[in-house]
Amino acid sequence: MSDAIATTSAGASSGRLRADVAVIGAGPAGIAAAVRAADAGASVVVLDEGMRPGGQIWHHRTRAGLPRLARDWLDALDRSAATVVCGASVVDIEPGFRLAAEVRGAPLTVDAGTVILATGARERFLPFPGWTLPGVVGVGGAQALLKSGASFAGKRIVIAGSGPLLLPVAASLARAGARIAIVAEQAPAAAVRRFGAGLWRTPGKIAQAARYRAAFRATRYAWGTWATRAAGDDAVREVTLTDGRHTWVEPCDVLCTGYGLVPSTELARLAGCAIDRGRVVVDARQRTSIPGIYCAGEPTGIAGVEASLIEGEIAGLAAVGRARKAIERLDAARRRQRRFADRLDAAFAPRAELRSLAAADTIICRCEDVTAGRLRPEWSQRQAKLYTRAGMGPCQGRICGAALEHLFGWDAGTVRAPAVATRLATLIAEPTPDDAGDCPTQNRTKGAS
Amino acid sequence: MDGRIEIRVNGKVVRVPADVSLAAALLDAGTAAFRASIHGAPRGPLCGMGVCHECRVTINGVPHRRSCLEPVVAGMEVVTGE
Amino acid sequence: MSAARHPDVLVIGAGIVGAACAYEFAREGLDVAVLDAGFAGGGTTAAGMGHLVVMDDSEAQFALTAYSRRLWEERAEDLPAECEFDRCGTLWVAEDDAQMEAVRAKHDAYVAHGIAAEVLDGRAVAECEPELRAPLAGGLRVPGDRVLYPPAAARHFLERARECGAEVRERCRVSQIRDGGVLLEEGGRLDAGAVVNAAGAEAARLVPALPIVPRKGHLVITDRYPGFCRHQLVELGYLKSAHVMSAESVAFNVQPRATGQLLIGSSRELVGWDASLNRDIVRQMLRRAIAFLPRLGTLSGLRTWNGFRPATPDKLPIIGRWDETEGLWIAAGHEGLGITTALGTARILADLLLGRTPEIDAAPFAPARFAAQAAS
């Protein structure tokens, strides 16, 4: 039996909440931050776009299928006094802080003294001919669709991308009845082996890797292999793979493609936080360059669940002024996870050939159908936007931005409200004076479970 | 009960699993083209998490809704392929 | 650009005005060079609504906008698809009987100047724009007004100028204007027969005596909703907002783009060069727009941005020779009409440069009107 969707008690009309701490994102980092801050006595509001807390890696319909670690943290969140608002897209952060969000089409304003950004990460997609066909989904995308109830049973699936997501996703799909034709990792075998050899420093990850591989031992797994083209009429039917020497075609119903994760930093940039090489800059207390704003988890650098939990705990405690002991307890583990993250980046760095996969007529900006041939390398992100509309669609340049950064080295542009496409009514919403409420404890609708 | 509910997709009644995202329900119903690109090409979900906006459909008369973030609800009126 | 080059005309600024000027001079067979501190069309031009509109707030403005709109129409077939040139026309909306009086007076003035215009009553307005709140008192339809996408137009004019032999140099900032040329920030000097200051809102940085100040405006654009409205919709009160130099004002001004997106303006503030998002004024602007288009609030907004209009004390642009410096000409200070009047400005300046009499009276735009003040 599934858990009901958590909702705000503020109702459907323009709502307002007030809290000591607002946590944006209810993945592992946000959950850990919210639990620690709430248990320390702060009033906490958590805002997440999804239907339930858990973010991407702990995305679920029923908790029974989640690992023990996830269930424990979700239970702790339930038990805590934090208010969790799901289906909430945060579109603006004004100084002071006032968050503007849209919840199921209705405006919600949250006034908070402190903000913790736990906005996670998203997949990096590198364009190649045919990548816009229906049936071409992300690696994490397939995982997300599977977890939200899509069936892949009986489907023939090619997974061609990069990074540690490939194996667990292949395992999940196989368990769900899909036929995995091949898993193609673009990184060369030597790089992946070096990475594997270094796993002894993070023993938990060796066990993980072994489990995943065991799940589909019979599946072909190829290193140094990548997809160059997807083809089909109204949906993908086959994909062309190459290892640089041999090229062949694999029929498929679904092609999973994705080249690692990139931090989601839009709200941090909107709020003026310092960013370095695509990561939100934080200190030992997870403080950003803006006083009162903290950041934890993937936006500070892709490092996985364990790092997100550690950083979330520290941020939650730092937000209530109790970080010192947490840092003493957790700092070594945090640094170890960061080193793991750096080794990960190095091992799975996209190979040079991926930069030249896009043909002149390959779509780069999917929202606005801007093809590679219309873009000039000497431009900037902003110039491309003004001249071709690339990045001017509803995804606000999130998908094509990573591709353009990879292809041309362009920095992402500035971010202004709204951080997510939102109804204009949300932008003008001002809370009516009489419905402002301090965020009360235990103020959350829980469904039957 | 087989755990399925009824929604309408492009005017046609379809039975889909309950308690899944609308995107998952539409995939179950055989939808390949959730929306049409500017030049009319079919598009479907890519990221699965609300970032790419390729899974957009019209729900109960409101266009541009990300179906991967919406729980499917019995009686929903969905229009795809726009 | 080689150091030995000595163009006939050096244009500072590759926005819509500079680009139009460059093309006009190049077409006349002059050797032209254009410099821009950033990239072409990336300044105020990128924050313009692209509304090609006849404005009747003064005789001079009427003449310049009508002349220029005619030139745009002549140029229309040459504009590539990216310019999104659209003949949607303008609908000025009146909220009450007093404004309907103003509509009738406006109609008579337009018609007297040969500009087609049609008075609509409340029902006719509701019929041609069903999304407008009803009942409105009525409106004035100006079918000859147009809209386009300004950065693409600027780019197009520069491309045409290049085809005539002009040279365009981006990411090249001018640090000073001297007699007979300019000094570059990166070092070096460029001499030219004539220099045109078309640096828009920054024109006074190079010629401090120019009374041009930045007047900030915000814009919001929605997702695609084809058919939501058909004309550029402007409230009559827009004129007051534009032409009274109060600290802050908003006016209802919404444009349907070729993409089906709605471009929403307009706001005006005097806050120097502060380019940050002013949420309060955006809210005011959106509320004003929603007051006229009730369903606008349900539409999805994708983006906000802002830019700086170059504003002059008498609301008229500055077009002509700047006598204080040899060989210097000015084409700047167009406030919210830079896109509309770019072609008229370019033609007038070319006429003046080449010793011809411009087709309309250029005296109201003469730089000398401010030089006299500067000298006194």
Side-chain angles (χ1 to χ4, degrees):
Chain A
M1 182 99 63
S2 69
D3 300 321
I5 296 158
T7 60
T8 179
S9 65
S13 54
S14 176
R16 180 174 175 186
L17 293 173
R18 193 155 52 219
D20 297 324
V21 180
V23 179
I24 305 178
I31 291 171
V35 168
R36 289 290 177 253
D39 289 352
S43 56
V44 179
V45 171
V46 186
L47 302 155
D48 191 275
E49 263 196 326
M51 293 179 259
R52 295 174 187 85
Q56 296 313 307
I57 191 152
W58 289 345
H59 187 147
H60 64 280
R61 285 183 298 149
T62 72
R63 291 194 192 175
L66 286 172
R68 175 69 186 276
L69 186 66
R71 282 183 279 129
D72 287 349
W73 275 106
L74 285 164
D75 288 345
L77 184 65
D78 283 348
R79 281 193 311 270
S80 82
T83 294
V84 181
V85 186
C86 292
S89 297
V90 176
V91 306
D92 194 10
I93 302 177
E94 291 181 64
F97 298 96
R98 171 161 287 182
L99 277 59
E102 185 174 302
V103 186
R104 303 255 162 271
L108 172 69
T109 304
V110 179
D111 289 321
T114 307
V115 174
I116 301 180
L117 299 170
T119 48
R122 54 179 180 262
E123 275 189 284
R124 173 167 51 183
F125 298 109
L126 302 180
F128 53 90
W131 75 296
T132 56
L133 283 166
V136 180
V137 297
V139 177
Q143 181 83 295
L145 290 168
L146 179 69
K147 287 183 179 179
S148 47
S151 169
F152 290 88
K155 302 249 194 270
R156 187 182 160 90
I157 302 187
V158 169
I159 300 178
S162 193
L165 263 184
L166 298 195
L167 291 187
V169 172
S172 295
L173 292 170
R175 265 198 310 273
R179 294 174 291 141
I180 311 293
I182 183 171
V183 177
E185 163 63 66
Q186 59 86 26
V192 179
R193 264 199 293 272
R194 267 198 305 276
F195 170 74
L199 283 177
W200 65 266
R201 295 194 190 93
T202 35
K205 302 215 183 278
I206 299 180
Q208 268 180 39
R211 268 200 306 276
Y212 295 135
R213 193 68 187 97
F216 57 105
R217 220 187 311 263
T219 307
R220 288 149 66 204
Y221 182 91
W223 288 305
T225 303
W226 61 98
T228 59
R229 195 177 120 82
D233 299 312
D234 292 334
V236 68
R237 290 284 166 259
E238 61 184 39
V239 55
T240 305
L241 297 169
T242 185
D243 62 7
R245 292 183 309 276
H246 309 110
T247 299
W248 70 102
V249 173
E250 291 277 354
C252 63
D253 302 311
V254 176
L255 168 64
C256 297
T257 180
Y259 296 87
L261 301 178
V262 291
S264 291
T265 60
E266 282 71 28
L267 283 172
R269 280 150 53 203
L270 182 155
C273 300
I275 308 288
D276 177 42
R277 286 165 297 158
R279 309 169 177 188
V280 182
V281 176
V282 290
D283 66 8
R285 280 170 170 69
Q286 306 297 142
R287 288 183 299 201
T288 69
S289 62
I290 302 292
I293 300 185
Y294 296 75
C295 187
E298 310 286 58
T300 69
I302 306 298
V305 175
E306 291 86 350
S308 295
L309 288 169
I310 291 166
E311 293 191 6
E313 287 196 65
I314 292 174
L317 287 163
V320 296
R322 305 215 190 151
R324 192 171 52 81
K325 287 215 186 87
I327 293 173
E328 282 168 21
R329 177 167 52 93
L330 296 167
D331 192 50
R334 177 171 57 181
R335 279 186 277 114
R336 204 164 50 239
Q337 294 299 330
R338 289 272 143 219
R339 285 196 295 272
F340 168 74
D342 292 337
R343 289 201 301 280
L344 204 109
D345 268 354
F348 295 103
R351 59 196 308 138
E353 289 92 330
L354 296 175
R355 244 181 224 105
S356 25
L357 291 180
D361 65 352
T362 301
I363 288 174
I364 305 295
C365 168
R366 298 170 66 118
C367 293
E368 299 292 328
D369 272 12
V370 182
T371 52
R374 293 181 57 205
L375 300 164
R376 309 243 180 96
E378 67 269 19
W379 288 349
S380 62
Q381 194 95 273
R382 183 170 177 258
Q383 190 165 1
K385 210 171 173 179
L386 286 171
Y387 285 1
T388 68
R389 305 186 51 82
M392 279 196 177
C395 96
Q396 301 174 320
R398 283 174 172 80
I399 301 296
C400 65
L404 292 170
E405 201 275 327
H406 181 251
L407 288 171
F408 302 132
W410 294 348
D411 287 329
T414 47
V415 178
R416 280 181 301 264
V420 184
T422 188
R423 296 162 101 239
L424 292 178
T426 301
L427 289 182
I428 64 169
E430 269 179 5
T432 55
D434 51 338
D435 70 356
D438 281 309
C439 172
T441 58
Q442 294 304 328
N443 183 22
R444 181 162 38 107
T445 307
K446 283 213 294 191
S449 55
Chain B
M1 302 297 314
D2 65 351
R4 293 207 155 230
I5 57 173
E6 282 185 357
I7 64 173
R8 285 162 69 89
V9 180
N10 301 329
K12 222 178 64 156
V13 173
V14 290
R15 294 179 58 75
V16 295
D19 195 39
V20 302
S21 72
L22 178 58
L26 290 171
L27 289 169
D28 179 271
T31 306
F34 280 55
R35 73 173 199 101
S37 78
I38 290 177
H39 291 103
R43 295 283 176 85
L46 173 71
C47 77
M49 56 182 280
V51 171
C52 72
H53 288 251
E54 291 280 45
C55 67
R56 300 189 299 160
V57 296
T58 298
I59 303 175
N60 298 336
V62 181
H64 308 310
R65 305 296 305 279
R66 292 171 283 173
S67 57
C68 70
L69 293 178
E70 296 287 336
V72 71
V73 172
M76 254 179 172
E77 290 268 355
V78 181
V79 181
T80 67
E82 300 174 298
Chain C
M1 195 172 294
S2 69
R5 194 186 158 128
H6 186 115
D8 298 321
V9 186
L10 176 68
V11 179
I12 306 171
I16 193 74
V17 172
C21 286
Y23 181 28
E24 200 63 38
F25 303 143
R27 267 176 9 144
E28 297 270 6
L30 296 173
D31 185 20
V32 178
V34 188
L35 303 178
D36 197 285
F39 60 85
T44 302
T45 298
M49 282 189 96
H51 183 199
L52 306 178
V53 56
V54 171
M55 281 294 207
D56 65 329
D57 52 302
S58 69
E59 264 310 307
Q61 198 72 279
F62 213 142
L64 181 60
T65 54
Y67 175 48
S68 208
R69 200 187 74 174
R70 197 196 85 211
L71 294 175
W72 274 109
E73 196 61 43
E74 286 169 15
R75 210 64 70 80
E77 295 314 309
D78 189 43
L79 297 174
E82 292 81 50
C83 293
E84 297 177 18
F85 186 83
D86 189 1
R87 297 186 165 89
C88 60
T90 304
L91 180 61
W92 294 86
V93 294
E95 295 182 84
D96 55 35
D97 290 338
Q99 289 192 347
M100 272 313 280
E101 279 300 305
V103 159
R104 281 184 270 273
K106 202 170 164 74
H107 166 270
D108 295 344
Y110 276 49
V111 166
H113 279 75
I115 303 293
E118 183 192 351
V119 175
L120 302 180
D121 64 14
R123 204 181 40 160
V125 163
E127 257 168 41
C128 73
E129 291 288 358
E131 293 290 348
L132 280 172
R133 82 157 191 272
L136 285 168
L140 182 74
R141 202 171 146 259
V142 185
D145 285 347
R146 307 283 180 249
V147 306
L148 55 59
Y149 179 57
R155 224 181 144 203
H156 164 71
F157 291 144
L158 289 172
E159 202 39 55
R160 283 279 180 259
R162 276 195 194 91
E163 286 163 12
C164 299
E167 204 163 324
V168 180
R169 195 158 162 202
E170 293 171 318
R171 296 168 186 70
C172 177
R173 182 176 277 277
V174 170
S175 59
Q176 274 185 66
I177 299 177
R178 289 287 170 81
D179 281 358
V182 301
L183 300 182
L184 303 178
E185 193 173 74
E186 69 199 31
R189 191 195 158 92
L190 265 169
D191 290 330
V195 173
V196 176
N197 183 350
E202 288 197 64
R205 191 179 58 81
L206 292 170
V207 182
L210 286 172
I212 294 177
V213 299
R215 203 153 179 225
K216 185 178 180 187
H218 287 76
L219 290 163
V220 176
I221 198 164
T222 69
D223 205 332
R224 297 173 184 240
Y225 298 91
F228 191 88
C229 65
R230 296 112 202 228
H231 303 80
Q232 174 121 10
L233 302 173
V234 191
E235 63 165 306
L236 273 174
Y238 174 84
L239 288 164
K240 201 162 80 173
S241 168
H243 301 288
V244 173
M245 281 297 253
S246 57
E248 207 178 88
S249 66
V250 300
F252 168 58
N253 193 346
V254 171
Q255 178 187 105
R257 298 222 42 78
T259 58
Q261 292 171 282
L262 292 167
L263 182 59
I264 303 169
S266 61
S267 77
R268 283 172 162 82
E269 298 166 77
L270 293 164
V271 289
W273 292 100
D274 175 7
S276 66
L277 172 68
N278 181 338
R279 293 163 172 96
D280 282 336
I281 210 169
V282 167
R283 283 191 195 111
Q284 287 175 51
M285 188 176 83
L286 289 175
R287 277 196 208 103
R288 190 87 189 120
I290 291 172
F292 281 90
L293 293 166
R295 280 206 323 129
L296 194 64
T298 66
L299 304 191
S300 178
L302 299 186
R303 199 162 63 253
T304 63
W305 69 105
N306 59 54
F308 298 98
R309 302 175 186 83
T312 60
D314 61 4
K315 333 286 188 279
L316 294 174
I318 305 173
I319 308 170
R321 191 204 306 269
W322 185 259
D323 293 317
E324 275 61 37
T325 306
E326 188 185 314
L328 179 59
W329 300 73
I330 312 294
H334 294 77
E335 220 266 354
L337 288 169
I339 315 299
T340 301
T341 61
L343 293 185
T345 298
R347 188 65 69 82
I348 287 170
L349 198 65
D351 287 338
L352 293 173
L353 204 83
L354 295 169
R356 301 189 296 239
T357 307
E359 192 171 319
I360 66 169
D361 179 16
F365 318 117
R369 71 194 196 273
F370 296 123
Q373 287 168 22
S376 63

